[in-house]
Amino acid sequence: MKQAMIIINPVSGKEDALEHVRNVEELLDDAGYSVTVNETTKEGDATHFCITACEDSYDLVVSIGGDGTLHETINGLIDQDHRPKLGVVPLGTVNDFARALQIPLNPEEAIQTLTSTRVKNVDMGRLNGRLFANVVATGSLAETLSSVSSDDKSKFGALAYFKEGIKDLRNPAQPLVIHHDGETWEGQSPLFLAALTNSVGGFEKLAPDAAVDDGLLHCFIIKDLTILNTVTIGISLLLGNLKDHKDVVYFTAQNVSVHSVEPVKTNVDGEEGPPLPIELSTIPRHIQVIVPEGD
């Protein structure tokens, strides 16, 4: 019998989370799976559960929660000889990974997708030995974005990040040295972004050229921020032409390193990450994700 593991963050989606688990269990049971349910209670649980699923040769792992739960889950797949297919039921406030794969943001619709026969081989990013699914950001503005509250994310969605960024323009840019595929950029920047997908912070047009299986990091260096160009950068972001803005440096790469002479934090898949220096690379088509039936 096929084996499926459900990894659920019971805090995501409030009281509806466990109801969604019951619906997934029923669906997978009807599809011929033997189902195991694991609830996270602390940081690292989802990774541990997913490692167990790999070691026990499960056929499917379903992540039910937000981008943080998904980030932990995929880190259980790193360097595993056997990697189960991944199903995603988004319960978070942003859900960039689901957006990029056109997985429905409505949980009940996403649950029905789990029986789809369509599977997509999706790139993963590697950061200092860990995996990330969507984006790495660094610079003074990235530190600000890490402090966006869950309440604000729930109220304002993607605009919570924009609101917080406008509020904290007083933070100075920081000195960054960025090496990428044999080239170097050095200068002051309040924000560097490396995206694997088109959707970052709920903005689905941040990197419109990014595909989940192109093997590339789509990178943006913001050179300067004033109230005026923050507004114009925001407009460029919404229109999908951020890479063409005069105060933005855009490039694609397979390998990127970022250093600074100052202590600088990072934001990884929407959560606080390790401080600089960081080494980034892509792992092309590393995991199989169940996606909706389509063309």
Side-chain angles (χ1 to χ4, degrees):
M1 180 177 274
K2 296 181 293 184
Q3 289 184 293
M5 179 182 289
I6 298 171
I7 298 175
I8 168 73
N9 178 356
V11 177
S12 293
K14 311 267 185 314
E15 66 278 355
D16 293 333
L18 296 180
E19 179 65 28
H20 295 316
V21 170
R22 286 189 286 272
N23 292 340
V24 173
E25 277 191 277
E26 184 177 327
L27 184 81
L28 295 180
D29 185 65
D30 290 344
Y33 285 93
S34 171
V35 181
T36 301
V37 178
N38 287 310
E39 291 186 26
T40 64
T41 59
K42 62 184 182 302
E43 186 177 349
D45 278 353
T47 299
H48 171 73
F49 295 145
C50 189
I51 289 172
T52 299
C54 293
E55 292 175 343
D56 293 345
S57 299
Y58 273 64
D59 301 280
L60 173 65
V61 167
V62 179
S63 171
I64 304 181
D67 286 329
T69 304
L70 179 70
H71 175 84
E72 279 202 15
T73 299
I74 64 165
N75 269 284
L77 300 172
I78 190 168
D79 298 331
Q80 295 288 345
D81 292 331
H82 171 78
R83 293 188 295 276
K85 289 185 291 186
L86 177 67
V88 179
V89 178
L91 297 186
T93 52
V94 178
N95 304 307
D96 279 320
F97 191 71
R99 289 174 189 270
L101 287 164
Q102 298 183 318
I103 294 169
L105 300 184
N106 177 291
E108 289 306 323
E109 293 178 18
I111 289 169
Q112 296 307 311
T113 296
L114 297 175
T115 58
S116 169
T117 58
R118 188 173 174 225
V119 175
K120 190 124 182 137
N121 293 302
V122 175
D123 300 339
M124 287 288 106
R126 191 188 290 264
L127 181 156
N128 293 1
R130 284 184 61 81
L131 293 187
F132 65 95
N134 194 62
V135 65
V136 174
T138 190
S140 54
L141 192 54
E143 296 185 31
T144 298
L145 300 184
S146 292
S147 67
V148 175
S149 70
S150 296
D151 284 347
D152 271 1
K153 288 180 190 177
S154 297
K155 287 178 188 173
F156 303 110
L159 293 177
Y161 295 102
F162 196 65
K163 168 178 168 281
E164 199 69 24
I166 287 279
K167 190 171 73 177
D168 216 13
L169 285 175
R170 298 159 300 185
N171 277 357
Q174 291 170 304
L176 300 180
V177 180
I178 301 168
H179 300 290
H180 57 96
D181 292 350
E183 298 186 32
T184 300
W185 182 91
E186 185 171 356
Q188 299 281 329
S189 171
L191 182 65
F192 166 74
L193 285 172
L196 281 171
T197 72
N198 66 299
S199 182
V200 175
F203 294 102
E204 296 184 31
K205 291 183 178 180
L206 184 131
D209 298 331
V212 295
D213 57 357
D214 62 9
L216 296 172
L217 293 164
H218 293 255
C219 302
F220 300 83
I221 304 168
I222 310 299
K223 292 190 292 184
D224 188 27
L225 277 183
T226 63
I227 290 178
L228 175 60
N229 75 358
T230 297
V231 171
T232 62
I233 284 173
I235 292 170
S236 295
L237 175 60
L238 294 172
L239 293 177
N241 54 15
L242 180 63
K243 68 179 184 180
D244 299 321
H245 193 281
K246 65 180 180 64
D247 291 315
V248 174
V249 176
Y250 169 78
F251 62 88
T252 60
Q254 293 176 311
N255 296 278
V256 178
S257 65
V258 187
H259 305 259
S260 180
V261 295
E262 296 183 2
V264 184
K265 296 179 181 179
T266 64
N267 184 297
V268 182
D269 286 346
E271 306 291 334
E272 185 173 333
L276 296 186
I278 55 173
E279 301 284 338
L280 307 175
S281 60
T282 57
I283 311 176
R285 304 187 176 198
H286 188 62
I287 63 172
Q288 289 189 315
V289 184
I290 298 174
V291 296
E293 303 280 4
D295 298 333

